[in-house]
Amino acid sequence: GQQLNQSPQSMFIQEGEDVSMNCTSSSIFNTWLWYKQDPGEGPVLLIALYKAGELTSNGRLTAQFGITRKDSFLNISASIPSDVGIYFCAGPFTSNAGGTSYGKLTFGQGTILTVHP
Amino acid sequence: DSGVTQTPKHLITATGQRVTLRCSPRSGDLSVYWYQQSLDQGLQFLIQYYNGEERAKGNILERFSAQQFPDLHSELNLSSLELGDSALYFCASSGGIFTGELFFGEGSRLTVL
């Protein structure tokens, strides 16, 4: 089955530092997504990438869709304490045939980010 | 607030028992997804329903079953519970065409003793 390998598994950084994490897959994806899970909450979508080579920003977050379509990167600049949480990459396996839709979203193992004030 | 409601938030039960987790999707969303999150397995896709019909299946055990009702709420039934079933169970919903953007509830934490 599809597997996403996400690294690093955890990061401990000082407030103000930049953060980089990445995700690789053995399969090609047409979409890459990055989610964040705050403690005690469900994951929330941060950024969606729909085109190989695409670079997309959302505030201090920047994500890139790798040219090979088998990888993606997420960068967080000037980290702040509220950036703490688990960051997941995700790739969908979909079918939108016949006007209906189904999809399995496969998640990476997550990167646990801790930010020290 | 994602608009997805899950109950109960916490549940403690014994091995061999059966429990039902409930999910109300965002208003207007036709698809409901169930995920299991455990410490060693991350977020695992269990099953998807679209407008009452099963659409996609993941690594869902035979002891587990789900359904989506005409009012679009969904239930996940877990039976013959084992210690290893202890996990966070998330429900998510999305609109018509699947794009990968899912709206997750806050989860139901199941502890099997």
Side-chain angles (χ1 to χ4, degrees):
Chain A
Q2 297 168 322
Q3 285 191 328
L4 299 183
N5 297 309
Q6 190 171 346
S7 65
Q9 287 189 338
S10 60
M11 302 183 74
F12 298 84
I13 63 171
Q14 292 293 128
E15 183 176 359
E17 290 183 0
D18 297 342
V19 171
S20 291
M21 59 191 78
N22 69 81
C23 198
T24 60
S25 169
S26 57
S27 304
I28 288 175
F29 283 108
N30 292 320
T31 301
W32 279 95
L33 306 128
W34 285 91
Y35 280 79
K36 182 194 177 193
Q37 184 177 18
D38 288 329
E41 305 286 332
V44 174
L45 181 66
L46 295 175
I47 290 180
L49 302 156
Y50 298 108
K51 187 177 176 182
E54 179 181 0
L55 189 70
T56 297
S57 293
N58 178 6
R60 294 178 295 105
L61 276 60
T62 302
Q64 183 160 24
F65 191 146
I67 289 292
T68 66
R69 294 196 287 158
K70 290 185 176 182
D71 58 4
S72 180
F73 304 87
L74 176 69
N75 295 314
I76 305 173
S77 62
S79 58
I80 59 178
S82 63
D83 290 334
V84 164
I86 307 175
Y87 291 79
F88 292 99
C89 60
F93 172 74
T94 69
S95 173
N96 290 321
T100 60
S101 177
Y102 74 84
K104 291 192 288 187
L105 201 56
T106 299
F107 284 84
Q109 304 96 315
T111 295
I112 301 172
L113 179 63
T114 304
V115 180
H116 295 287
Chain B
D1 184 3
S2 67
V4 177
T5 303
Q6 287 188 250
T7 57
K9 290 196 187 312
H10 301 276
L11 191 55
I12 300 174
T13 189
T15 55
Q17 295 297 305
R18 172 190 171 95
V19 299
T20 297
L21 309 180
R22 194 179 192 278
C23 169
S24 293
R26 285 191 324 159
S27 176
D29 281 356
L30 298 177
S31 283
V32 168
Y33 310 77
W34 286 97
Y35 281 82
Q36 180 191 56
Q37 186 177 33
S38 55
L39 283 175
D40 59 346
Q41 290 292 320
L43 276 162
Q44 297 291 316
F45 170 75
L46 295 178
I47 198 164
Q48 177 204 359
Y49 279 83
Y50 177 87
N51 203 20
E53 295 185 4
E54 182 184 308
R55 271 285 177 260
K57 215 166 185 176
N59 299 321
I60 187 167
L61 299 172
E62 286 191 8
R63 300 183 285 109
F64 296 0
S65 65
Q67 55 184 329
Q68 186 179 28
F69 295 87
D71 67 352
L72 301 178
H73 91 271
S74 178
E75 292 181 356
L76 179 67
N77 300 298
L78 315 174
S79 62
S80 302
L81 286 168
E82 302 174 358
L83 296 177
D85 297 328
S86 295
L88 260 173
Y89 291 85
F90 285 104
C91 170
S93 73
S94 69
I97 297 296
F98 182 82
T99 62
E101 182 172 11
L102 304 185
F103 296 88
F104 283 82
E106 294 186 346
S108 293
R109 181 173 292 280
L110 173 66
T111 302
V112 182
L113 301 176

